[in-house]
Short mmCIF file of all heavy atoms in Angstrom, two decimals:
data_model
loop_
_atom_site.label_atom_id
_atom_site.label_comp_id
_atom_site.label_asym_id
_atom_site.label_seq_id
_atom_site.Cartn_x
_atom_site.Cartn_y
_atom_site.Cartn_z
N GLU F 12 -2.51 -17.16 -5.33
CA GLU F 12 -2.66 -16.31 -4.16
C GLU F 12 -3.67 -15.10 -4.54
O GLU F 12 -3.50 -14.62 -5.62
CB GLU F 12 -1.27 -15.67 -3.83
CG GLU F 12 -1.35 -14.68 -2.65
CD GLU F 12 0.05 -14.04 -2.56
OE1 GLU F 12 1.09 -14.28 -3.24
OE2 GLU F 12 0.24 -13.23 -1.55
N ASN F 13 -4.49 -14.75 -3.65
CA ASN F 13 -5.39 -13.60 -3.91
C ASN F 13 -4.84 -12.41 -3.22
O ASN F 13 -4.23 -12.49 -2.11
CB ASN F 13 -6.75 -13.93 -3.26
CG ASN F 13 -7.49 -15.00 -4.02
OD1 ASN F 13 -7.19 -15.22 -5.21
ND2 ASN F 13 -8.40 -15.61 -3.42
N PHE F 14 -4.99 -11.27 -3.73
CA PHE F 14 -4.37 -9.98 -3.22
C PHE F 14 -5.16 -8.81 -3.68
O PHE F 14 -6.03 -8.90 -4.65
CB PHE F 14 -2.83 -9.94 -3.61
CG PHE F 14 -2.66 -9.93 -5.02
CD1 PHE F 14 -2.69 -8.80 -5.84
CD2 PHE F 14 -2.35 -11.18 -5.76
CE1 PHE F 14 -2.36 -8.77 -7.27
CE2 PHE F 14 -2.31 -11.16 -7.10
CZ PHE F 14 -2.20 -10.00 -7.85
N ILE F 15 -4.92 -7.69 -3.18
CA ILE F 15 -5.66 -6.49 -3.44
C ILE F 15 -4.70 -5.47 -4.09
O ILE F 15 -3.44 -5.30 -3.69
CB ILE F 15 -6.19 -5.80 -2.17
CG1 ILE F 15 -7.28 -6.75 -1.62
CG2 ILE F 15 -6.83 -4.41 -2.40
CD1 ILE F 15 -7.90 -6.34 -0.41
N ILE F 16 -5.11 -4.74 -5.11
CA ILE F 16 -4.33 -3.75 -5.85
C ILE F 16 -5.13 -2.35 -5.79
O ILE F 16 -6.37 -2.35 -5.76
CB ILE F 16 -4.21 -4.08 -7.27
CG1 ILE F 16 -3.68 -5.40 -7.41
CG2 ILE F 16 -3.40 -2.95 -8.00
CD1 ILE F 16 -3.73 -5.97 -8.94
N HIS F 17 -4.45 -1.29 -5.35
CA HIS F 17 -5.15 -0.01 -5.38
C HIS F 17 -5.34 0.48 -6.85
O HIS F 17 -4.29 0.32 -7.66
CB HIS F 17 -4.30 1.00 -4.63
CG HIS F 17 -4.56 0.98 -3.20
ND1 HIS F 17 -5.67 1.36 -2.61
CD2 HIS F 17 -3.66 0.60 -2.20
CE1 HIS F 17 -5.54 1.18 -1.17
NE2 HIS F 17 -4.40 0.64 -0.98
N LYS F 18 -6.40 1.11 -7.22
CA LYS F 18 -6.66 1.52 -8.54
C LYS F 18 -5.65 2.74 -8.93
O LYS F 18 -5.24 2.80 -10.11
CB LYS F 18 -8.02 2.11 -8.72
CG LYS F 18 -9.03 1.07 -8.89
CD LYS F 18 -10.39 1.59 -9.23
CE LYS F 18 -11.45 0.58 -9.41
NZ LYS F 18 -12.73 1.22 -9.73
N TYR F 19 -5.17 3.43 -7.93
CA TYR F 19 -4.20 4.50 -8.37
C TYR F 19 -2.84 3.91 -8.59
O TYR F 19 -2.04 4.70 -9.25
CB TYR F 19 -4.23 5.66 -7.23
CG TYR F 19 -3.68 5.28 -5.97
CD1 TYR F 19 -2.25 5.37 -5.74
CD2 TYR F 19 -4.49 4.98 -4.88
CE1 TYR F 19 -1.77 4.84 -4.43
CE2 TYR F 19 -4.00 4.61 -3.64
CZ TYR F 19 -2.68 4.65 -3.44
OH TYR F 19 -2.05 4.26 -2.29
N ASP F 20 -2.53 2.80 -8.10
CA ASP F 20 -1.22 2.18 -8.53
C ASP F 20 -1.24 1.85 -9.94
O ASP F 20 -0.21 1.78 -10.71
CB ASP F 20 -0.89 0.91 -7.66
CG ASP F 20 -0.54 1.29 -6.25
OD1 ASP F 20 -0.19 2.47 -6.05
OD2 ASP F 20 -0.69 0.35 -5.39
N LEU F 21 -2.42 1.54 -10.49
CA LEU F 21 -2.55 1.19 -11.93
C LEU F 21 -2.79 2.47 -12.83
O LEU F 21 -2.86 2.40 -14.02
CB LEU F 21 -3.72 0.18 -12.17
CG LEU F 21 -3.59 -1.12 -11.51
CD1 LEU F 21 -4.87 -1.89 -11.73
CD2 LEU F 21 -2.40 -1.85 -12.09
N GLY F 22 -3.00 3.52 -12.15
CA GLY F 22 -3.27 4.83 -12.93
C GLY F 22 -4.72 4.97 -13.28
O GLY F 22 -4.97 5.80 -14.18
N LEU F 23 -5.60 4.37 -12.70
CA LEU F 23 -7.05 4.55 -13.00
C LEU F 23 -7.69 5.64 -12.34
O LEU F 23 -8.63 6.23 -12.90
CB LEU F 23 -7.77 3.12 -12.65
CG LEU F 23 -7.28 1.89 -13.38
CD1 LEU F 23 -7.98 0.71 -12.84
CD2 LEU F 23 -7.52 2.09 -14.78
N ILE F 24 -7.19 6.04 -11.13
CA ILE F 24 -7.86 7.20 -10.40
C ILE F 24 -6.60 7.97 -9.90
O ILE F 24 -5.47 7.42 -9.78
CB ILE F 24 -8.77 6.80 -9.28
CG1 ILE F 24 -8.13 5.92 -8.27
CG2 ILE F 24 -10.05 6.11 -9.83
CD1 ILE F 24 -8.96 5.58 -7.00
N GLU F 25 -6.95 9.18 -9.45
CA GLU F 25 -5.95 9.98 -8.71
C GLU F 25 -5.85 9.48 -7.34
O GLU F 25 -6.57 8.89 -6.65
CB GLU F 25 -6.38 11.45 -8.56
CG GLU F 25 -6.41 12.13 -9.81
CD GLU F 25 -6.77 13.65 -9.70
OE1 GLU F 25 -6.58 14.21 -8.61
OE2 GLU F 25 -7.26 14.24 -10.60
N LYS F 26 -4.47 9.70 -6.80
CA LYS F 26 -4.04 9.21 -5.53
C LYS F 26 -4.92 9.91 -4.38
O LYS F 26 -4.94 11.16 -4.32
CB LYS F 26 -2.64 9.42 -5.15
CG LYS F 26 -2.13 8.75 -3.92
CD LYS F 26 -0.57 8.81 -3.91
CE LYS F 26 -0.21 8.04 -2.77
NZ LYS F 26 1.35 7.93 -2.68
N PRO F 27 -5.70 9.26 -3.58
CA PRO F 27 -6.49 9.87 -2.58
C PRO F 27 -5.68 10.46 -1.37
O PRO F 27 -4.63 9.98 -1.15
CB PRO F 27 -7.43 8.71 -2.03
CG PRO F 27 -6.71 7.47 -2.31
CD PRO F 27 -5.85 7.73 -3.55
N ARG F 28 -6.25 11.41 -0.72
CA ARG F 28 -5.48 11.97 0.48
C ARG F 28 -6.01 11.35 1.68
O ARG F 28 -7.29 11.39 1.91
CB ARG F 28 -5.66 13.46 0.42
CG ARG F 28 -5.26 14.01 -0.92
CD ARG F 28 -4.71 15.52 -0.81
NE ARG F 28 -4.47 16.20 -2.05
CZ ARG F 28 -3.44 15.89 -2.84
NH1 ARG F 28 -2.71 14.88 -2.62
NH2 ARG F 28 -3.37 16.55 -3.97
N TYR F 29 -5.22 10.89 2.52
CA TYR F 29 -5.56 10.25 3.89
C TYR F 29 -5.38 11.08 4.94
O TYR F 29 -5.38 10.66 6.10
CB TYR F 29 -4.98 8.88 4.01
CG TYR F 29 -5.28 7.92 2.90
CD1 TYR F 29 -4.33 7.47 2.01
CD2 TYR F 29 -6.54 7.38 2.97
CE1 TYR F 29 -4.74 6.54 1.20
CE2 TYR F 29 -6.86 6.47 1.97
CZ TYR F 29 -6.02 6.04 1.13
OH TYR F 29 -6.28 5.09 0.18
N GLY F 30 -4.83 12.33 4.87
CA GLY F 30 -4.49 13.22 5.97
C GLY F 30 -3.12 12.71 6.48
O GLY F 30 -2.21 12.84 5.66
N LYS F 31 -2.92 12.48 7.68
CA LYS F 31 -1.61 12.23 8.31
C LYS F 31 -1.24 10.78 8.09
O LYS F 31 -0.13 10.34 8.28
CB LYS F 31 -1.61 12.37 9.77
CG LYS F 31 -1.73 13.97 10.06
CD LYS F 31 -1.63 14.10 11.60
CE LYS F 31 -1.59 15.62 11.92
NZ LYS F 31 -1.47 15.91 13.38
N PHE F 32 -2.08 9.84 7.51
CA PHE F 32 -1.80 8.45 7.22
C PHE F 32 -0.95 8.39 6.02
O PHE F 32 -1.28 8.97 5.01
CB PHE F 32 -3.18 7.64 7.03
CG PHE F 32 -2.86 6.27 6.74
CD1 PHE F 32 -2.51 5.40 7.71
CD2 PHE F 32 -3.13 5.77 5.41
CE1 PHE F 32 -2.28 4.02 7.34
CE2 PHE F 32 -2.91 4.40 5.12
CZ PHE F 32 -2.51 3.57 6.14
N ASN F 33 0.23 7.62 6.01
CA ASN F 33 1.16 7.57 4.97
C ASN F 33 1.11 6.08 4.41
O ASN F 33 1.69 5.21 4.99
CB ASN F 33 2.52 7.97 5.40
CG ASN F 33 3.45 7.99 4.34
OD1 ASN F 33 3.27 7.68 3.13
ND2 ASN F 33 4.64 8.59 4.62
N LEU F 34 0.35 5.91 3.35
CA LEU F 34 0.25 4.59 2.81
C LEU F 34 1.58 4.04 2.33
O LEU F 34 1.88 2.87 2.35
CB LEU F 34 -0.88 4.56 1.75
CG LEU F 34 -1.10 3.11 1.12
CD1 LEU F 34 -1.58 2.25 2.17
CD2 LEU F 34 -2.03 3.28 -0.02
N ASP F 35 2.36 4.91 1.71
CA ASP F 35 3.69 4.44 1.14
C ASP F 35 4.54 3.92 2.19
O ASP F 35 5.30 2.91 2.08
CB ASP F 35 4.37 5.49 0.35
CG ASP F 35 3.63 5.99 -0.85
OD1 ASP F 35 3.01 5.09 -1.42
OD2 ASP F 35 3.59 7.15 -1.16
N TYR F 36 4.57 4.67 3.46
CA TYR F 36 5.33 4.05 4.55
C TYR F 36 4.84 2.77 5.02
O TYR F 36 5.70 1.85 5.25
CB TYR F 36 5.13 5.13 5.70
CG TYR F 36 5.92 4.56 6.93
CD1 TYR F 36 7.30 4.53 7.03
CD2 TYR F 36 5.10 4.11 8.06
CE1 TYR F 36 7.91 4.12 8.20
CE2 TYR F 36 5.76 3.67 9.15
CZ TYR F 36 7.20 3.66 9.26
OH TYR F 36 7.81 3.03 10.42
N CYS F 37 3.56 2.56 5.02
CA CYS F 37 2.98 1.23 5.44
C CYS F 37 3.43 0.17 4.49
O CYS F 37 3.56 -1.02 4.87
CB CYS F 37 1.43 1.37 5.51
SG CYS F 37 0.98 2.31 6.91
N LYS F 38 3.52 0.47 3.23
CA LYS F 38 3.86 -0.53 2.22
C LYS F 38 5.30 -1.00 2.38
O LYS F 38 5.69 -2.09 2.31
CB LYS F 38 3.71 0.04 0.75
CG LYS F 38 2.43 0.08 0.30
CD LYS F 38 2.39 0.56 -1.20
CE LYS F 38 0.95 0.54 -1.94
NZ LYS F 38 1.04 1.04 -3.23
N ARG F 39 6.25 -0.06 2.76
CA ARG F 39 7.56 -0.36 3.03
C ARG F 39 7.71 -1.23 4.25
O ARG F 39 8.48 -2.24 4.39
CB ARG F 39 8.47 0.90 3.24
CG ARG F 39 8.70 1.59 1.94
CD ARG F 39 9.85 2.60 2.13
NE ARG F 39 9.72 3.53 3.19
CZ ARG F 39 9.03 4.62 3.28
NH1 ARG F 39 8.52 5.04 2.15
NH2 ARG F 39 8.92 5.39 4.34
N VAL F 40 6.91 -0.90 5.39
CA VAL F 40 7.07 -1.63 6.61
C VAL F 40 6.44 -2.94 6.52
O VAL F 40 6.94 -3.98 7.10
CB VAL F 40 6.23 -0.78 7.77
CG1 VAL F 40 6.23 -1.53 9.05
CG2 VAL F 40 7.12 0.55 7.90
N GLY F 41 5.37 -3.10 5.77
CA GLY F 41 4.55 -4.30 5.87
C GLY F 41 4.90 -5.36 4.72
O GLY F 41 3.93 -6.06 4.29
N LYS F 42 6.03 -5.33 4.28
CA LYS F 42 6.49 -6.28 3.22
C LYS F 42 6.30 -7.72 3.68
O LYS F 42 6.56 -7.92 4.89
CB LYS F 42 7.87 -6.11 2.76
CG LYS F 42 8.11 -4.75 2.04
CD LYS F 42 8.64 -5.00 0.69
CE LYS F 42 8.90 -3.66 0.17
NZ LYS F 42 8.62 -3.59 -1.25
N PRO F 43 5.83 -8.59 2.80
CA PRO F 43 5.64 -10.05 3.27
C PRO F 43 6.79 -10.78 3.77
O PRO F 43 6.69 -11.56 4.66
CB PRO F 43 5.15 -10.74 2.00
CG PRO F 43 4.45 -9.60 1.21
CD PRO F 43 5.28 -8.35 1.48
N SER F 44 8.00 -10.28 3.43
CA SER F 44 9.28 -10.99 3.92
C SER F 44 9.33 -10.62 5.37
O SER F 44 9.77 -11.52 6.21
CB SER F 44 10.46 -10.38 3.17
OG SER F 44 10.57 -8.97 3.31
N THR F 45 8.98 -9.49 5.80
CA THR F 45 8.90 -9.06 7.29
C THR F 45 8.03 -9.97 8.00
O THR F 45 8.34 -10.50 9.03
CB THR F 45 8.57 -7.63 7.47
OG1 THR F 45 9.42 -6.87 6.65
CG2 THR F 45 8.67 -7.22 8.89
N PHE F 46 6.84 -10.28 7.45
CA PHE F 46 5.76 -11.08 8.13
C PHE F 46 6.44 -12.46 8.24
O PHE F 46 6.15 -13.17 9.22
CB PHE F 46 4.48 -11.17 7.35
CG PHE F 46 3.74 -9.81 7.37
CD1 PHE F 46 3.19 -9.35 6.22
CD2 PHE F 46 3.62 -9.12 8.49
CE1 PHE F 46 2.58 -8.16 6.20
CE2 PHE F 46 2.92 -7.98 8.62
CZ PHE F 46 2.40 -7.49 7.37
N ASP F 47 7.06 -13.08 7.26
CA ASP F 47 7.64 -14.41 7.24
C ASP F 47 8.64 -14.48 8.38
O ASP F 47 8.70 -15.49 9.05
CB ASP F 47 8.25 -14.69 5.96
CG ASP F 47 7.20 -14.93 4.84
OD1 ASP F 47 6.01 -15.20 5.19
OD2 ASP F 47 7.56 -14.82 3.64
N LYS F 48 9.45 -13.53 8.56
CA LYS F 48 10.42 -13.53 9.58
C LYS F 48 9.76 -13.55 11.01
O LYS F 48 10.25 -14.25 11.84
CB LYS F 48 11.43 -12.30 9.46
CG LYS F 48 12.26 -12.38 8.33
CD LYS F 48 13.20 -11.13 8.21
CE LYS F 48 14.00 -11.14 6.98
NZ LYS F 48 14.62 -9.79 6.83
N VAL F 49 8.74 -12.71 11.14
CA VAL F 49 7.99 -12.66 12.45
C VAL F 49 7.37 -14.00 12.66
O VAL F 49 7.38 -14.60 13.79
CB VAL F 49 7.02 -11.41 12.45
CG1 VAL F 49 6.07 -11.60 13.68
CG2 VAL F 49 7.72 -10.17 12.46
#
């Protein structure tokens, strides 16, 4: 399976600021198990 990893998850760069966008929330909501159920 091919996938994408953020560099800041590996500690290579500082966590970028997205303003009001919350990436951690999106990670919780978008788990693949949820997609499989849908």
Side-chain angles (χ1 to χ4, degrees):
E12 176 187 3
N13 295 335
F14 55 93
I15 296 175
I16 307 168
H17 280 287
K18 282 186 177 179
Y19 67 82
D20 285 341
L21 297 175
L23 299 175
I24 60 173
E25 290 184 24
K26 190 169 183 176
R28 307 212 187 285
Y29 295 113
K31 293 184 179 181
F32 179 74
N33 187 351
L34 183 62
D35 295 327
Y36 174 75
C37 292
K38 281 184 179 181
R39 286 194 311 270
V40 171
K42 293 240 183 220
S44 60
T45 306
F46 292 134
D47 291 339
K48 290 176 186 174
V49 170

